[in-house]
């Protein structure tokens, strides 16, 4: 009678137990790891126009409405909850002009828009203009008390005159504020129509230097640094991939070469994706990230020693970089801030990776002196394989 080899039976038992333990957890953390909204403020001498967009899944999390439970909002379902959504946003998003909170008395529209596979709710509101020498601020407290989705970010773009400013409101840093100089106020367009006409003419003329070269003190580079930190900390798949790379026994030189390759690779695709030079759909990127975890985990289990892992790491790093960039793709980052914001975001990611590596390497050095080190690597890689496999199935068949 045929019997499975002992090692294979051991593997099946471990993976079955891990699947039973971790499957509910994986489904929970992967359901909606990051909620992002996009806000654009257009400042003119006659009004302050705000356009706020929020993804469909976040809307369902906040106010429900998905009666048929298909993960989407039909027009009839949206109509039933849009007033509730508008009320919730009014309670959590505060616009102050001259330190005075403004009421949402001029809501111009609230629509459910579909572009390909992406569906968003877009709200347009008109506020009074910002008087000369007066501050303006925006506070976004959405999800602040919702532990189910703590990783919320509002990516903010501000257009004023010939200038643009950007900021990322996330974590506990949920307030943006600025005060225009007299020269900046003088450069404001008279109204929203003239601002749009000027923007269209600049795009038609393809003037890359249309944004003034004046240094912008409202760039919010530090907010992008913190966003990078929060993004990688909430990216369980990225962290698990990095752990899977490190757990196999290697020399310090191999570790250094591998991490350098990963950093260079994800920096390349992160930048190219945000610039719009490449655009790989998330439907391909997300399963590929899960697949990278499975591949490295299996590699750990079938080989006693790993060689040339930096090549594998570089290739998969290109995929992970596109995943890092997903949250920034739709943000209209001005040219004079693009380099600083991208570097800041990437530095945030690298900071977490360096800290993780600095903590893990001494522990791994002790682990590999243990007589059961191979079994520990085997079990750890089995955990990674199970988690990566569940994510892979979810992202192919359930998203």
């Amino acid at each position: 009678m045929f019997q499975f080899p002992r090692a294979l039976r051991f593997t099946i038992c471990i993976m079955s137990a891990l699947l039973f333990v971790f499957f509910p957890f994986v489904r929970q953390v992967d359901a909606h790891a990051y909620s992002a909204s996009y806000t654009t403020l257009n400042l003119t001498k006659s009004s302050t126009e705000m356009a706020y967009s929020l993804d469909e899944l976040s809307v369902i999390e906040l106010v429900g409405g998905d009666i048929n439970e298909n993960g989407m909002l039909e027009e009839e379902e949206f109509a039933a909850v849009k007033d509730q959504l508008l009320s919730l946003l009014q309670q959590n998003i505060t616009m102050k002009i001259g330190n005075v909170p403004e009421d949402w008395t001029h809501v111009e529209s609230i629509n459910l828009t579909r572009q390909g596979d992406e569906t968003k709710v877009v709200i347009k509101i008109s506020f009074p203009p910002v008087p000369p020498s007066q501050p303006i601020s925006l506070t976004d407290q959405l999800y602040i008390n919702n532990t189910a989705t703590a990783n919320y970010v509002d990516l903010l773009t501000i257009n004023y005159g010939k200038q643009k400013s950007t900021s990322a409101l996330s974590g506990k840093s949920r307030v943006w504020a600025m005060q225009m100089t007299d020269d900046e106020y003088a450069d404001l367009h008279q109204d929203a129509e003239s601002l749009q006409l000027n923007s269209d003419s600049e795009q038609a003329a393809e003037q890359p230097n249309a944004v003034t070269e004046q240094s912008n003190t409202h760039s919010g580079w530090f907010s992008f640094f913190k966003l990078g930190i929060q993004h990688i900390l909430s990216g369980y798949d990225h962290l698990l991939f990095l752990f899977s790379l490190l757990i196999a026994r290697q020399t310090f030189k191999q570790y250094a070469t591998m991490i350098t390759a990963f950093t260079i690779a994800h920096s390349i695709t992160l930048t190219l994706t945000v610039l719009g030079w490449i655009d790989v759909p998330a439907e391909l990127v997300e399963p590929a990230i899960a697949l990278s975890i499975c591949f490295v985990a299996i590699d750990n289990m079938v080989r006693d020693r790993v060689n040339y892992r930096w090549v594998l790491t570089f290739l998969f790093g290109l995929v992970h970089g596109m995943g890092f960039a997903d949250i920034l793709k739709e943000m209209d980052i001005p040219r004079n801030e693009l380099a600083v914001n991208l570097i800041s975001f990437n530095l945030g990611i690298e900071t977490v990776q360096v800290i993780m590596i600095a903590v893990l390497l001494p522990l791994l050095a002790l682990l590999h002196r243990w007589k059961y080190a191979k079994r520990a690597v085997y079990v750890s890689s089995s955990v990674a394989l199970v988690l990566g496999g569940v994510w892979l199935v979810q992202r192919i068949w359930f998203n």
Side-chain angles (χ1 to χ4, degrees):
M1 182 177 178
F2 174 77
Q3 290 185 342
F4 287 106
R6 184 177 179 182
L8 182 58
R9 281 183 289 163
F10 178 68
T11 302
I12 293 173
C13 290
I14 287 180
M15 295 185 65
S16 298
L18 292 172
L19 183 61
F20 177 78
V21 172
F22 286 105
F23 187 75
F25 169 75
V26 176
R27 288 189 60 86
Q28 181 181 3
V29 299
D30 196 53
H32 197 205
Y34 227 105
S35 180
S37 64
Y38 297 85
T39 301
T40 300
L41 295 179
N42 292 322
L43 310 185
T44 69
K45 292 181 179 179
S46 60
S47 66
T48 300
E49 306 291 333
M50 183 174 85
Y52 176 90
S53 67
L54 186 65
D55 66 279
E56 182 180 38
L57 184 53
S58 295
V59 174
I60 294 173
E61 286 178 343
L62 290 168
V63 296
D66 183 18
I67 305 300
N68 57 11
E69 297 184 351
N70 64 348
M72 299 174 59
L73 286 175
E74 311 298 339
E75 289 294 340
E76 298 79 9
E77 294 173 330
F78 175 64
V81 298
K82 69 177 182 180
D83 289 340
Q84 182 183 352
L85 175 65
L86 189 60
S87 176
L88 181 67
L89 294 177
Q90 289 179 12
Q91 296 171 24
N92 288 278
I93 300 176
T94 304
M95 171 77 74
K96 288 185 179 181
I97 298 178
N99 295 318
V100 178
E102 297 291 339
D103 294 328
W104 290 31
T105 53
H106 295 90
V107 178
E108 298 178 356
S109 62
I110 173 169
N111 297 311
L112 187 69
T113 63
R114 300 190 187 278
Q115 295 180 346
D117 294 331
E118 295 186 358
T119 303
K120 297 178 180 178
V121 173
V122 180
I123 304 171
K124 295 183 179 180
I125 311 107
S126 180
F127 296 102
V130 183
S133 303
Q134 291 293 318
I136 177 174
S137 67
L138 182 74
T139 303
D140 188 339
Q141 297 293 314
L142 199 64
Y143 278 116
I144 199 71
N145 295 317
N146 191 330
T147 56
T149 307
N151 299 307
Y152 168 78
V153 58
D154 187 346
L155 294 170
L156 183 62
T157 302
I158 308 95
N159 299 310
Y160 55 110
K162 295 180 179 180
Q163 298 191 69
K164 282 186 179 181
S165 179
T166 55
S167 187
L169 309 183
S170 61
K172 295 182 179 180
S173 302
R174 299 292 197 93
V175 181
W176 164 86
M178 68 174 284
Q179 182 169 329
M180 289 180 287
T181 65
D182 292 339
D183 290 339
E184 289 171 339
Y185 181 82
D187 284 339
L188 291 183
H189 294 87
Q190 188 61 41
D191 50 38
E193 287 77 11
S194 60
L195 174 64
Q196 183 61 44
L197 288 173
N198 182 75
S199 177
D200 292 343
S201 63
E202 287 178 353
Q203 292 179 9
E206 295 184 354
Q207 296 177 356
N209 297 319
V211 178
T212 180
E213 295 182 359
Q214 177 182 349
S215 63
N216 193 329
T217 59
H218 314 300
S219 63
W221 67 268
F222 189 60
S223 66
F224 282 87
F225 175 77
K226 292 186 291 184
L227 179 61
I229 292 176
Q230 292 161 4
H231 193 54
I232 184 65
L233 287 176
S234 66
Y236 306 104
D237 47 2
H238 300 295
L239 293 176
L240 184 59
F241 175 74
L242 187 60
F243 173 78
S244 300
L245 290 173
L246 296 173
I247 191 68
R249 184 172 187 174
Q250 298 164 76
T251 65
F252 181 80
K253 181 179 179 181
Q254 285 177 307
Y255 280 129
T257 304
M258 179 180 64
I259 297 304
T260 302
F262 183 65
T263 299
I264 293 173
H266 77 64
S267 298
I268 290 172
T269 47
L270 168 64
T271 303
L272 294 180
T273 302
V274 174
L275 288 173
W277 293 2
I278 58 175
D279 186 13
V280 180
E283 291 79 4
L284 296 178
V285 173
E286 294 304 317
I289 290 174
L291 183 62
S292 71
I293 297 170
C294 297
F295 192 99
V296 173
I298 293 173
D299 192 47
N300 291 341
M301 296 166 69
V302 300
R303 289 205 291 169
D304 291 334
R305 284 188 170 273
V306 293
N307 297 310
Y308 302 104
R309 177 158 277 191
W310 70 269
V311 178
L312 176 68
T313 305
F314 183 85
L315 294 176
F316 282 133
L318 295 173
V319 177
H320 282 251
M322 290 183 279
F324 289 142
D326 186 60
I327 196 170
L328 299 179
K329 283 198 301 185
E330 298 183 44
M331 193 178 186
D332 185 19
I333 301 177
R335 292 177 182 270
N336 65 332
E337 294 182 12
L338 186 59
V340 172
N341 289 348
L342 273 176
I343 292 172
S344 300
F345 182 76
N346 209 29
L347 283 176
I349 293 173
E350 296 307 320
T351 298
V352 174
Q353 291 184 171
V354 168
I355 293 174
M356 180 179 176
I357 293 166
V359 171
L360 281 179
L361 288 189
L363 297 177
L364 290 174
L366 293 175
L367 171 68
H368 289 298
R369 295 176 184 173
W370 189 34
K371 65 178 180 178
Y372 297 114
K374 288 186 179 180
R375 293 185 184 180
V377 171
Y378 198 93
V379 172
S380 300
S381 298
S382 298
V383 173
L385 180 58
V386 169
L387 294 175
V390 174
W391 278 322
L392 180 62
V393 171
Q394 285 183 331
R395 294 173 183 185
I396 292 177
W397 282 283
F398 297 105
N399 285 344

